[in-house]
Amino acid sequence: MTGGSLGLRLSGSFGSLQQQAQNGGLQPQNAYITRRSSKTSLNGSREKERFFSSTLRYLCRRKVGMLILASFAVLGFMTGFFTVNKEDDFDGYGFPFDTRYITKSYVTPWLLPGNEVIHNNSKINKVLVCDYRTGWTTLFNASAVGDSSTSATVLTNPCKGFAFPPPPPGDTRRIGPRPCPVCYIPVEQAIARMPRFPSPSPIVHHLTYFSEENPSKTEANGGSDFGGYPSLKRRNDSFNIKESMTVHCGFVKGCRAGYQTGFDIDMADLEVLEQFHEVIVASAIFGNYDVIQQPKNIGETARSKVPFFMFIDEETERYMRNSSLLGSDKQVGLWRIIVVRNVPYTDPRRNGKVPKLLLHRLFPNTRFSIWIDGKLQLVVDPYQILERFLWRHNATFAISRHYRRFDVFEEAEANKAGAKYDNASIDYQIEFYKKEGLTPYTTAKLPITSDVPEGCVIIREHIPITNLFSCLWFNEVDRFTSRDQLSFSTVRDKVVAQVNWSINMFLDCERRNFVIQAYHRDLLEQRAQMARTRPPPALVRARTLPKKGPVRRGRDKRSGPRKRRRVTPKNRENYFI
């Protein structure tokens, strides 16, 4: 790019684009003022009025007045056009002029599919990368990024002076965590802030996945057919970050995720998932565990351009069809229902980790995704969420921290106390991590603020480094317990120790600002059953008060002199009781 820069993007996961051209760039436009000769200078208001009136009559006679006015209009339009395009940005954000009006497609090398052969391993039959057509070539087409890129409107930053308010006063009637205010920019401005290029992926540029026809278990602990039973050595090797990597990432029985790999999806639905999407929202309900929640406050652009996908198993499908929630159109409100067959695990909660952590495999041609658990209701527009927690911070992965706990050891004890998983399995996982160097969280890890996420919401950009992190996180969930909060910090610390990359761990009260948490279905049904079986309150009969005679007043109230009780030694004690 040779044009001058119209703004600088901050360094970080977005990367710094070209800075302002030092040689041959656009120069600032100066206001040139022409001097008038002494002959045309006028003194006195009367002479000026006679001069302008005579000049106007002359121009009208010569029929050149309209031509001059038209020239001024064109000049004003061109000046406003360049001024708007120069100032159309936030503080600290910007794109070079030639990237805002793209006419050609552009593909970075690490987005292209490729093949990688693994030698000296008889247990791996083949390693493949799906060779189907990707949608990344249309990513940089100006018509694909929306009309906002060419809109000539001056964008301001309404959140520039926003200060995080103090916590609200305590309320004894409402205990537990509460949402806090979050400043979102208008939806139109959020859409305009969407990056036109993918964020650079540090170190790792090409990521492929193992595919084994007949995976076999070689070690006593860990893994599954769906995950491929990666050995401990291969697990450790996967944390050695390189430019080109091949790792286990679920779906090992085929190279096309969802097609005869376990976690199978109908071909018609699979083709929808593999289409190009700039933004998607995804969730899942397995084992009929939750009640589907409809999003609210979604703008018209998101309704038309952002698909909402809900993954369900066959048990949940039967319930929805029997209750007339799901019809032949596979649509329940905004949610497009995706039925998963041949689920890989018997535990519904573990099945839910597949779409939660491996969205990049199910959506290979998607740029940004927002994951919310099935019990959550989205109440803020997806574009505003992405701008607030990714684009504004130059981040590629965002997740909220736990509202109370920030230490993995405390989280493990809380999981055991709440019977979230088998205690022996939790102890085994924690002891394994302790041998690898896991220590309690201290302020020495700053600027990392927590080791425990509240993993019900994940906001990410699909690039190789975030895809790798998601794969490694899933492998830990597949090897150990399904409690992903226990393995998050171990994977994060191993990756960031080698890569200049970080995760935006925002406050949990900010998460509660854009999602509303509901109860699981079993608890809702239990409460409904209690309400139905509760006996009605007993009718209170009106008690008949005894009739009293008229109250006497004055001297008529008593008929005789009032006698005092004489206190004797015998009844003295009873008198004072």
Side-chain angles (χ1 to χ4, degrees), residues 426-442:
I426 294 177
D427 291 336
Y428 176 84
Q429 182 176 5
I430 297 301
E431 288 298 322
F432 184 92
Y433 289 158
K434 285 177 63 178
K435 293 178 181 178
E436 288 193 328
L438 177 67
T439 57
Y441 177 84
T442 63

Side-chain angles (χ1 to χ4, degrees), residues 202-243:
I203 298 183
V204 56
H205 293 164
H206 189 228
L207 185 65
T208 56
Y209 313 108
F210 284 110
S211 174
E212 308 177 32
E213 293 181 353
N214 299 303
S216 58
K217 189 173 184 178
T218 59
E219 296 177 352
N221 182 70
S224 64
D225 282 345
F226 180 77
Y229 300 109
S231 64
L232 186 59
K233 180 181 183 304
R234 183 157 289 168
R235 172 208 179 248
N236 296 335
D237 291 341
S238 65
F239 288 107
N240 184 17
I241 311 301
K242 297 177 293 185
E243 181 177 358

Side-chain angles (χ1 to χ4, degrees), residues 28 79 134 170 241 269 296 318 324 349 364 394 418 425 428 536 566:
T79 304
T134 65
I241 311 301
D269 294 335
K296 293 182 178 180
R318 286 192 298 270
S324 302
R349 292 173 296 182
N394 291 337
S425 300
Y428 176 84
R566 185 177 180 181

Side-chain angles (χ1 to χ4, degrees), residues 45-91:
S45 60
R46 293 183 179 179
E47 293 181 0
K48 291 181 180 180
E49 291 177 359
R50 288 197 299 270
F51 174 77
F52 287 126
S53 60
S54 60
T55 303
L56 182 59
R57 288 195 300 270
Y58 175 78
L59 294 177
C60 292
R61 286 198 302 268
R62 296 297 181 179
K63 299 181 180 180
V64 296
M66 293 302 298
L67 179 61
I68 294 178
L69 291 177
S71 301
F72 276 111
V74 173
L75 179 62
F77 172 79
M78 296 301 295
T79 304
F81 176 81
F82 287 107
T83 302
V84 166
N85 282 277
K86 183 176 182 179
E87 296 178 354
D88 184 11
D89 215 330
F90 273 141
D91 299 333

Side-chain angles (χ1 to χ4, degrees), residues 304-510:
S304 60
K305 293 186 177 181
V306 177
F308 291 71
F309 294 100
M310 175 67 70
F311 294 89
I312 65 173
D313 57 358
E314 294 177 278
E315 178 183 354
T316 310
E317 179 194 16
R318 286 192 298 270
Y319 176 85
M320 286 187 173
R321 293 195 182 277
N322 293 337
S323 57
S324 302
L325 290 176
L326 181 62
S328 58
D329 60 349
K330 299 182 179 180
Q331 200 77 25
V332 179
L334 283 179
W335 293 106
R336 172 70 155 81
I337 303 300
I338 305 296
V339 180
V340 179
R341 311 186 191 281
N342 189 22
V343 291
Y345 306 105
T346 57
D347 182 7
R349 292 173 296 182
R350 190 181 285 272
N351 286 322
K353 307 301 180 181
V354 177
K356 175 180 180 178
L357 301 179
L358 302 183
L359 277 182
H360 63 284
R361 298 221 59 188
L362 294 167
F363 298 90
N365 302 315
T366 292
R367 294 191 64 193
F368 301 96
S369 66
I370 300 175
W371 167 268
I372 61 174
D373 280 0
K375 63 183 178 181
L376 301 181
Q377 180 187 32
L378 192 69
V379 294
V380 174
D381 190 273
Y383 289 110
Q384 294 176 302
I385 296 174
L386 287 166
E387 189 280 329
R388 172 61 183 82
F389 297 103
L390 282 190
W391 306 335
R392 193 182 302 180
H393 299 277
N394 291 337
T396 57
F397 198 101
I399 190 171
S400 66
R401 65 189 85 162
H402 197 276
Y403 71 95
R404 178 182 299 172
R405 294 182 292 274
F406 48 85
D407 183 80
V408 176
F409 296 93
E410 295 180 1
E411 178 67 18
E413 293 302 319
N415 276 260
K416 291 192 294 184
K420 300 292 185 179
Y421 208 84
D422 176 62
N423 288 1
S425 300
I426 294 177
D427 291 336
Y428 176 84
Q429 182 176 5
I430 297 301
E431 288 298 322
F432 184 92
Y433 289 158
K434 285 177 63 178
K435 293 178 181 178
E436 288 193 328
L438 177 67
T439 57
Y441 177 84
T442 63
T443 55
K445 297 193 71 172
L446 291 174
I448 296 176
T449 55
S450 176
D451 282 346
V452 181
E454 185 67 58
C456 54
V457 172
I458 301 177
I459 310 167
R460 73 195 110 181
E461 180 182 0
H462 294 196
I463 58 175
I465 186 62
T466 59
N467 297 344
L468 174 65
F469 174 80
S470 300
C471 290
L472 300 181
W473 191 9
F474 173 81
N475 291 342
E476 296 298 292
V477 172
D478 183 59
R479 172 180 288 271
F480 298 107
T481 69
S482 62
R483 306 303 298 172
D484 48 35
Q485 297 94 335
L486 301 179
S487 53
F488 169 82
S489 65
T490 294
V491 179
R492 178 202 60 192
D493 294 346
K494 288 178 177 292
V495 173
V496 300
Q498 305 177 61
V499 180
N500 183 20
W501 177 75
S502 61
I503 293 176
N504 178 21
M505 295 192 71
F506 53 93
L507 295 175
D508 182 70
C509 66
E510 295 177 300

